[in-house]
């Protein structure tokens, strides 16, 4: 069935109430100092969970009012431990940098209903503009002090199914912390009576600790080389930041200086979000054809295989000139790469970008296996010193967030270890957990497939005229 159009009256989503939700146990007000990793992207990131696989009797017994009530009480209980989620961002008066004011102002929960049936939305893994109606987007005047850090909307569909659209500030949580928070909330919200409830809920650690600028020192037991050591100078730099700077200078050189006008001075073209399903069988086929196993060698991970394949496919599809430098960057979790390691339930942002760079000509001639080796080298370079250099490099003015997309830069974020569809707000897993458009829609997200536990869904954004070429390159395994 075709998805409903905006001008179709049946596509209306009616909001019946909007409430503020506060911690069940009010915490003392305090300011939580954020790290530079937290400050990179203070905007809300949205996920929509679809639950249409409930039994008929369960649907019959559930009312929208009871679902809303249970979600509200569960959120109140969850915010007792995850209390920064009820606060607001606030700029420091001295340097203007954002910190987190834990002031118990509250999260926002919304109740809504529509006559649309979930089956009308088609393939839930494919982005649909109707999904934007399933999340609550409070008016934002540029003042982060007025913006809630957690918003959620529960919507009942005409078929009796539900969606829960959730937005969380990226300054509050990274991916693993978001997963832990949502898991705790779902466990505290007994929407379906008799559902098993986990007693092993992680207790979050909100203090940013050694990730704070100025707190990162060389790990204990290491030898500090003299400041003029070339080896030390090389190791003390965050390669991802250097590579990004080189791409910016390359683009500026092609445009005869600043300001950058990548894509021209007009309004940027609309980015179309597409999801590509790589089944477990397709991934194994890709490994067999491009990644011959050598005796004693480490097996290639699904992430490494898909990442190398995607970089080649995207660069080829966008037609980047062979003499140009192109860069592949991917997010690395630093929780276990610090000395000492970050707490297991650290709730802030702990990801940095690792990076590799080469010319388009080199990328075309490089084997998939050779690219994977470079990906492994880049990941292994992420250690305590790398994170220190990365955090320090972000200490200046934050201008990168306004940088237009670069076709020479391929970015990947691996969500396969955060299977959001497994979060059971109702009895049973979600049919799908769909991310909405992110601040940088060109980033590729690798997500675990709900229907194929060895498969991966790859969500990525392109301008419309590039979709066909990328599809052909990416889905071609030969």
């Amino acid at each position: 069935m075709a998805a409903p159009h905006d001008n179709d009256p049946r596509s209306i989503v009616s909001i019946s109430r909007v409430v503020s939700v506060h911690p069940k146990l009010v915490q003392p007000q305090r300011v939580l100092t954020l790290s530079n990793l937290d400050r990179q992207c203070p905007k809300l990131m949205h996920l929509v969970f679809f639950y249409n696989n409930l039994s008929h009797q369960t649907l019959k017994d559930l009312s929208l009012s009871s679902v809303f009530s249970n979600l509200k009480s569960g959120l109140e209980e969850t915010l007792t431990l995850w209390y920064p989620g009820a606060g607001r961002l606030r700029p420091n008066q001295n340097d203007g940098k954002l910190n987190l004011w834990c002031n118990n102002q509250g999260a926002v929960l919304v109740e809504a209903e529509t006559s649309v049936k979930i089956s009308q939305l088609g393939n839930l893994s494919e982005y649909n503009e109707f999904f934007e109606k399933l999340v609550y987007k409070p008016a934002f005047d540029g003042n982060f002090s007025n913006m809630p850090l957690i918003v959620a909307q529960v919507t009942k569909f005409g078929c009796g199914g539900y969606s829960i659209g959730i937005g969380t500030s990226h300054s509050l949580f990274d991916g693993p912390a978001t997963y832990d928070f949502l898991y705790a909330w779902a466990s505290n919200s007994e929407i379906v009576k008799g559902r098993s409830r986990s007693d092993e809920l992680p207790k979050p650690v909100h203090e940013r600790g050694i990730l704070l600028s100025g707190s990162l020192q060389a790990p204990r037991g290491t030898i500090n080389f003299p400041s003029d050591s070339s080896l030390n100078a090389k190791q003390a730099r965050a390669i991802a930041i250097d590579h990004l700077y080189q791409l910016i200078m390359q683009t500026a050189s092609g445009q005869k200086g600043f300001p950058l006008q990548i894509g021209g001075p007009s309004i940027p073209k609309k980015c179309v979000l597409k999801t590509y399903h790589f089944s477990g069988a397709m991934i194994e086929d890709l490994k067999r054809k491009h990644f011959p196993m050598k005796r004693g060698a480490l097996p290639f991970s699904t992430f490494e295989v898909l990442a190398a394949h995607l970089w080649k496919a995207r660069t080829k599809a966008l037609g980047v000139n062979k003499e140009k430098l192109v860069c592949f960057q991917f997010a690395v979790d630093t929780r276990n790469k610090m000395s000492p390691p970050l707490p297991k339930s650290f709730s802030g942002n702990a990801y940095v970008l690792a990076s590799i760079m080469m010319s388009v000509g080199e990328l075309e001639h490089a084997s998939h296996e050779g690219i994977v080796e470079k990906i492994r080298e880049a990941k292994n370079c992420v250690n305590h010193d790398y994170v220190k250099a990365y955090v320090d490099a972000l200490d200046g003015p934050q201008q990168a967030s306004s940088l237009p997309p670069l076709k020479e830069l391929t970015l990947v974020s691996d969500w396969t270890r955060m299977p959001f569809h497994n979060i059971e707000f109702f009895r049973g897993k979600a049919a799908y957990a769909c991310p909405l458009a992110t601040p940088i829609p060109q980033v590729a997200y690798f997500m675990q497939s709900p229907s194929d536990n060895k498969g991966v869904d790859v969500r990525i954004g392109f301008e419309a005229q590039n979709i066909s070429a990328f599809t052909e390159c990416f889905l071609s395994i030969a």
Side-chain angles (χ1 to χ4, degrees), residues 40 43 248 260-262 268 397-405 439-440:
Q40 290 182 92
K43 296 181 180 178
I248 293 171
L260 289 182
Q261 298 201 351
I262 302 169
Q398 298 295 305
Q399 297 175 346
S401 60
S402 60
L403 182 72
I440 307 177

Side-chain angles (χ1 to χ4, degrees), residues 388-418:
K388 180 182 185 303
Y390 197 99
V391 170
D392 289 346
L394 296 175
D395 216 22
Q398 298 295 305
Q399 297 175 346
S401 60
S402 60
L403 182 72
L406 296 164
K407 61 182 180 180
E408 295 87 357
L409 175 63
T410 299
L411 289 161
V412 172
S413 182
D414 184 11
W415 284 18
T416 55
R417 296 185 181 182
M418 297 167 280

Side-chain angles (χ1 to χ4, degrees), residues 19 21 60 63 70 110 137 141 171 184 187 189 193 202 214 226 247 313 326 346 378 383 385 419 456 468 476:
V19 302
V21 182
K60 186 178 178 181
S63 68
N70 284 320
V110 176
K137 296 182 178 179
D141 59 4
S171 287
S187 297
S189 305
K193 301 299 181 184
L247 288 186
V326 287
F346 177 75
N383 55 21
D385 289 334
V456 176
S468 178
S476 173

Side-chain angles (χ1 to χ4, degrees), residues 9 19 26 36 58 75 101 105 152 201-202 226 237 242 246 272 281 291 293 312 345 363 378 401 432 442 455:
V19 302
V26 177
N36 288 338
T58 299
L75 183 54
W101 185 20
Q105 200 162 333
L201 298 181
R237 299 190 68 83
D242 288 350
Q246 290 181 59
V272 179
F291 301 90
M293 276 299 298
K312 274 180 159 287
S345 297
L363 179 61
S401 60
Y432 206 82
Q442 294 81 9

Side-chain angles (χ1 to χ4, degrees), residues 258-473:
F258 293 93
L260 289 182
Q261 298 201 351
I262 302 169
S266 59
I267 298 174
K269 295 180 181 179
K270 185 177 181 181
C271 198
V272 179
L273 296 176
K274 292 287 293 180
T275 303
Y276 297 88
H277 177 66
F278 254 72
S279 67
M282 291 171 68
I283 292 170
E284 288 305 312
D285 197 21
L286 186 64
K287 288 181 180 180
R288 281 194 301 269
K289 289 186 176 181
H290 293 294
F291 301 90
M293 276 299 298
K294 297 176 183 177
R295 181 170 298 186
L298 290 172
F300 298 105
S301 71
T302 294
F303 170 79
E304 293 168 343
V305 169
L306 276 183
H309 186 62
L310 180 135
W311 190 23
K312 274 180 159 287
R314 181 179 181 272
T315 303
K316 182 178 179 180
L318 294 179
V320 185
N321 293 335
K322 288 190 177 183
E323 70 276 7
K324 293 285 189 181
L325 290 172
V326 287
C327 185
F328 176 76
Q329 299 193 343
F330 58 100
V332 177
D333 190 349
T334 67
R335 282 170 171 79
N336 292 320
K337 292 181 175 290
M338 305 299 296
S339 181
L342 295 174
K344 185 177 180 180
S345 297
F346 177 75
S347 72
N349 285 270
Y351 277 78
V352 299
L353 290 173
S355 182
I356 57 179
M357 175 180 274
M358 63 181 71
S359 71
V360 174
E362 290 174 320
L363 179 61
E364 285 182 357
H365 291 99
S367 66
H368 284 67
E369 186 179 4
I371 296 171
V372 165
E373 290 302 328
K374 289 187 176 296
I375 290 174
R376 288 180 173 178
E377 289 173 10
K379 186 175 182 179
N380 289 336
C381 283
V382 178
N383 55 21
H384 187 97
D385 289 334
Y386 184 96
V387 176
K388 180 182 185 303
Y390 197 99
V391 170
D392 289 346
L394 296 175
D395 216 22
Q398 298 295 305
Q399 297 175 346
S401 60
S402 60
L403 182 72
L406 296 164
K407 61 182 180 180
E408 295 87 357
L409 175 63
T410 299
L411 289 161
V412 172
S413 182
D414 184 11
W415 284 18
T416 55
R417 296 185 181 182
M418 297 167 280
F420 286 100
H421 61 273
N422 284 345
I423 293 176
E424 300 186 22
F425 278 104
F426 295 84
R427 183 181 294 169
K429 302 174 183 178
Y432 206 82
C434 184
L436 300 191
T438 60
I440 307 177
Q442 294 81 9
V443 176
Y445 291 89
F446 292 180
M447 303 176 292
Q448 191 181 106
S449 171
S451 58
D452 178 2
N453 60 6
K454 292 186 178 180
V456 176
D457 287 344
V458 179
R459 162 68 66 80
I460 189 170
F462 282 97
E463 292 178 5
Q465 71 268 22
N466 299 130
I467 291 175
S468 178
F470 176 75
T471 302
E472 182 179 352
C473 294

Side-chain angles (χ1 to χ4, degrees), residues 159-180:
C159 57
Y162 286 85
S163 70
I164 301 177
I166 299 169
T168 58
S169 170
H170 212 321
S171 287
L172 187 64
F173 307 138
D174 64 7
T178 300
Y179 186 90
D180 287 347

